[in-house]
Amino acid sequence: MRILITSGFKEAKFVRENFPNHYVYTSYDECEDADVLIGFSSQVTNQLLDKLPSLKWFQTLSSGYNTMDLEYLKRRGIQFSNGRGLHGIAISEDIITKMLVLNRHTNYYMENQKKSTWKPHHEMEIELSGATAGILGAGVIAT
């Protein structure tokens, strides 16, 4: 199987190491006869897909696929998979980080540090230890 990975060399290295019987490429120019494409849907257009006449499957590394022309993929017979849940841990950790940054007024203190001044923030900081936070949403992050 010929796999074209456009998202980066980290993913290509992983696939090469774990699937040694497959050919892995990182450039459209290297592999016009790719069977599989792995990359971000926001970076893939119909014009790029036209350069891959043998393509049978496109795996996007994002959960969103609103930029994809699904009718085009269907006409071409290309299977399409999105990356639902792929970034769940990273996004969840980012949310926790932002909660701490906002609660501790980090931006305010960073601006003062650039000015070489110390001015305590006028709002009291709430300790988060033992607190309960609710995150509303759908998908793997908020369920």
Side-chain angles (χ1 to χ4, degrees):
M1 184 178 298
R2 294 167 306 277
I3 303 169
L4 174 58
I5 301 177
T6 63
S7 61
F9 295 103
K10 180 177 142 188
E11 291 86 359
K13 181 180 178 202
F14 174 83
V15 173
R16 280 186 182 117
E17 289 173 355
N18 291 282
F19 301 95
N21 296 330
H22 299 292
Y23 300 100
V24 179
Y25 304 91
T26 56
S27 168
Y28 286 96
D29 298 328
E30 291 178 348
C31 187
E32 292 178 357
D33 58 346
D35 303 299
V36 177
L37 172 62
I38 300 173
F40 288 98
S41 57
S42 60
Q43 299 171 348
V44 175
T45 64
N46 292 355
Q47 291 77 18
L48 289 174
L49 293 173
D50 285 340
K51 295 180 180 181
L52 304 170
S54 302
L55 193 66
K56 294 173 183 50
W57 177 32
F58 173 36
Q59 170 67 56
T60 182
L61 296 174
S62 56
S63 56
Y65 53 89
N66 55 313
T67 60
M68 292 306 306
D69 184 347
L70 299 178
E71 287 301 317
Y72 173 86
L73 294 173
K74 190 175 182 179
R75 277 194 311 275
R76 286 264 322 264
I78 299 171
Q79 293 293 314
F80 177 72
S81 306
N82 70 337
R84 182 184 185 279
L86 188 64
H87 306 290
I89 292 173
I91 300 283
S92 299
E93 290 174 352
D94 185 59
I95 291 168
I96 291 169
T97 300
K98 288 175 179 164
M99 288 169 55
L100 291 169
V101 164
L102 290 171
N103 184 60
R104 294 291 179 181
H105 310 289
T106 303
N107 292 341
Y108 173 83
Y109 290 115
M110 287 175 63
E111 287 300 316
N112 282 332
Q113 185 179 27
K114 288 178 190 175
K115 299 174 193 171
S116 298
T117 61
W118 170 250
K119 290 174 25 181
H121 196 276
H122 64 277
E123 291 181 26
M124 189 164 198
E125 297 168 351
I126 300 168
E127 289 190 1
L128 297 180
S129 176
T132 301
I135 301 173
L136 302 176
V140 298
I141 296 166
T143 57

